[in-house]
């Protein structure tokens, strides 16, 4: 039975190819952040999906939950996000999530505010709620936890998957989760009672290196600016036509550098010999989502402004 202090792997949705309308489902925005489970019972403890403690990383959330749920015991499920320009910024969130020193946490808390978006409640005041249908848990959540910055209870839209997904696409958000209204919470399972519909998004990044084959680029090593260096976000090879590979090889060879421009060395096999370059050429890449490591999943090269 779920109760505060008992750690568990959360329920996960499975991919679904397209948005749909169905009155037997409730639809929620899928936020681009990291899964966080909050255990409240006199104190507040936060854990990620791998059951690793994340309490010290988000002191403002701990403080708000302590005040809002004072005298109550609860287990909440949600997503921690960092907003930039009104949209979630995954890599800024990762700076918060990976901080462990008190001084660093305090510094980042003032510069990278976070929001804990709560979408489920699994335990309340001595009673496990996992066997209740999602519609019942959703009602209890909204009755028990008022939204007070930086803790927000997400909206649920019964039956309205298509219109919600179009709104998500327009705002460049990650996607939508469809939850069967009668579904219980299945601990540690990926269940078709929860479906995720992903919005492919586009990001502009800088090239920090490449792998070659002859005088053609085989794949690009990509990053985002971070303190004068690059934060590595992955590699892309899909979308590299013969013409793009040749033109990029010529342009990047002129920018070859001795030192790796990334904050941390990208994961490479022993056989791979990258050419590091000055990060002066940007590319537009379409991708599905971020991995837990912060890398692009299923990236496809779309455009190279200034070269093609």
């Amino acid at each position: 039975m779920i109760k505060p202090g008992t750690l568990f792997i959360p329920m996960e949705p499975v991919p679904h190819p397209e948005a749909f309308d169905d009155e037997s489902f409730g639809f929620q925005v899928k936020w681009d952040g990291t899964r966080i489970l909050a255990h409240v019972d006199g104190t507040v403890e936060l854990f990620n999906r791998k059951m690793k403690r994340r309490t010290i990383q988000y002191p403002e959330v701990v403080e708000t939950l302590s005040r809002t749920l004072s005298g109550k015991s609860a287990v909440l499920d949600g997503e921690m996000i960092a907003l930039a320009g009104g949209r979630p910024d995954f890599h800024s969130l990762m700076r918060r999530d990976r901080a462990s020193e008190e001084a660093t946490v305090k510094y980042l808390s003032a510069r990278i505010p976070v929001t804990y978006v709560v979408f489920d409640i699994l335990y309340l005041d001595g009673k496990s709620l996992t066997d209740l249908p999602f519609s019942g848990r959703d009602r209890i959540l909204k009755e028990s936890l008022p939204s007070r910055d930086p803790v927000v209870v997400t909206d649920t839209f019964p039956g309205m998957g298509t219109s919600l997904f179009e709104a998500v696409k327009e705002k460049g958000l990650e996607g939508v989760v469809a939850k069967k209204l009668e579904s219980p919470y299945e601990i540690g399972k990926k269940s078709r009672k929860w479906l995720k519909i992903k919005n492919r998004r586009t990001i502009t990044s800088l090239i920090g290196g490449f792998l070659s084959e002859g005088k053609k680029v085989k794949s690009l090593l990509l990053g985002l600016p971070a303190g004068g260096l690059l934060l590595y976000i992955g590699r892309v090879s899909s979308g590299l036509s013969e013409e793009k590979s040749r033109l990029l090889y010529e342009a990047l060879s002129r920018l070859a550098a001795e030192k790796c421009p990334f904050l941390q060395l990208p994961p490479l096999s022993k056989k791979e010999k990258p050419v590091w370059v000055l990060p002066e050429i940007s590319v537009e890449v379409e991708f599905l989502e971020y991995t837990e490591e912060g890398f692009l999943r299923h990236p496809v090269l779309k455009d190279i402004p200034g070269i093609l």
Side-chain angles (χ1 to χ4, degrees):
M1 181 185 79
I2 285 182
K3 61 181 180 179
T6 300
L7 304 188
F8 60 93
I9 303 295
M11 183 175 177
E12 297 277 0
V14 300
H16 190 74
E18 59 185 3
F20 62 95
D21 293 329
D22 189 326
E23 293 297 329
S24 68
F25 281 85
F27 297 86
Q28 298 176 331
V29 173
K30 190 177 192 310
W31 296 98
D32 195 0
T34 188
R35 191 80 168 268
I36 293 290
L37 297 148
H39 294 243
V40 182
D41 190 12
T43 60
V44 176
E45 296 286 352
L46 306 179
F47 298 91
N48 65 17
R49 74 176 75 228
K50 293 183 177 181
M51 300 187 290
K52 302 295 184 181
R53 195 181 304 272
R54 284 296 181 267
T55 308
I56 67 168
Q57 281 81 1
Y58 306 110
E60 65 270 57
V61 171
V62 170
E63 181 182 353
T64 300
L65 287 174
S66 295
R67 292 198 318 267
T68 305
L69 294 175
S70 178
K72 294 180 178 292
S73 58
V75 177
L76 307 173
D77 193 355
E79 195 86 358
M80 196 73 71
I81 63 172
L83 294 173
R87 295 197 301 182
D89 184 336
F90 182 82
H91 292 98
S92 290
L93 178 71
M94 286 298 98
R95 292 181 65 191
R96 289 286 308 265
D97 196 72
R98 291 166 183 167
S100 57
E101 299 293 331
E102 184 178 349
T104 303
V105 170
K106 185 176 180 180
Y107 174 85
L108 291 175
S109 295
R111 288 157 179 79
I112 305 174
V114 297
T115 300
Y116 183 40
V117 183
V118 183
F119 51 69
D120 213 329
I121 184 167
L122 313 177
Y123 178 97
L124 182 65
D125 292 338
K127 184 178 180 181
S128 175
L129 307 178
T130 54
D131 289 337
L132 293 181
F134 167 69
S135 57
R137 300 195 310 275
D138 192 52
R139 175 182 53 79
I140 293 170
L141 173 62
K142 290 172 170 58
E143 292 173 350
S144 306
L145 183 67
S147 292
R148 292 177 183 170
D149 191 49
V151 177
V152 174
V153 177
T154 197
D155 291 321
T156 302
F157 301 90
M160 300 170 55
T162 304
S163 58
L164 181 60
F165 187 73
E166 288 304 314
V168 160
K169 283 179 61 178
E170 186 176 332
K171 293 182 180 295
L173 301 178
E174 185 182 4
V176 167
V177 177
K179 298 180 178 180
K180 199 81 170 176
L181 292 173
E182 295 304 311
S183 63
Y185 191 96
E186 300 180 57
I187 300 170
K189 291 185 179 180
K190 290 186 176 181
S191 171
R192 292 205 61 80
K193 294 170 185 173
W194 286 13
L195 305 172
K196 58 182 177 181
I197 302 101
K198 291 297 193 72
N199 172 36
R200 289 193 66 88
R201 293 166 287 165
T202 300
I203 189 171
T204 299
S205 60
L206 292 168
I207 302 172
F210 68 94
L211 299 172
S212 63
E213 195 172 67
K215 292 192 174 183
K216 295 187 297 183
V217 169
K218 183 179 179 182
S219 63
L220 300 170
L221 305 177
L222 306 178
L224 297 175
L229 294 172
L230 292 181
L231 176 67
Y232 179 72
I233 61 170
R235 63 173 72 184
V236 63
S237 55
S238 294
L240 273 171
S241 64
E242 287 283 333
E243 181 187 13
K244 289 179 183 177
S245 297
R246 179 179 53 79
L247 290 174
L248 276 170
Y249 183 88
E250 294 174 0
L252 292 172
S253 295
R254 293 192 289 268
L255 297 173
E258 292 184 6
K259 293 184 178 181
C260 172
F262 295 101
L263 284 167
Q264 295 179 315
L265 188 69
L268 298 161
S269 71
K270 293 181 179 180
K271 295 181 180 180
E272 293 178 325
K273 305 298 180 185
V275 178
W276 307 122
V277 300
L278 299 174
E280 297 181 4
I281 296 178
S282 64
V283 293
E284 291 183 5
V285 177
E286 186 182 82
F287 69 105
L288 184 61
E289 62 183 345
Y290 292 106
T291 68
E292 291 185 5
E293 295 81 11
F295 303 156
L296 304 178
R297 193 186 300 279
H298 303 314
V300 178
L301 182 66
K302 302 302 289 185
D303 193 18
I304 314 169
I307 293 183
L308 295 177

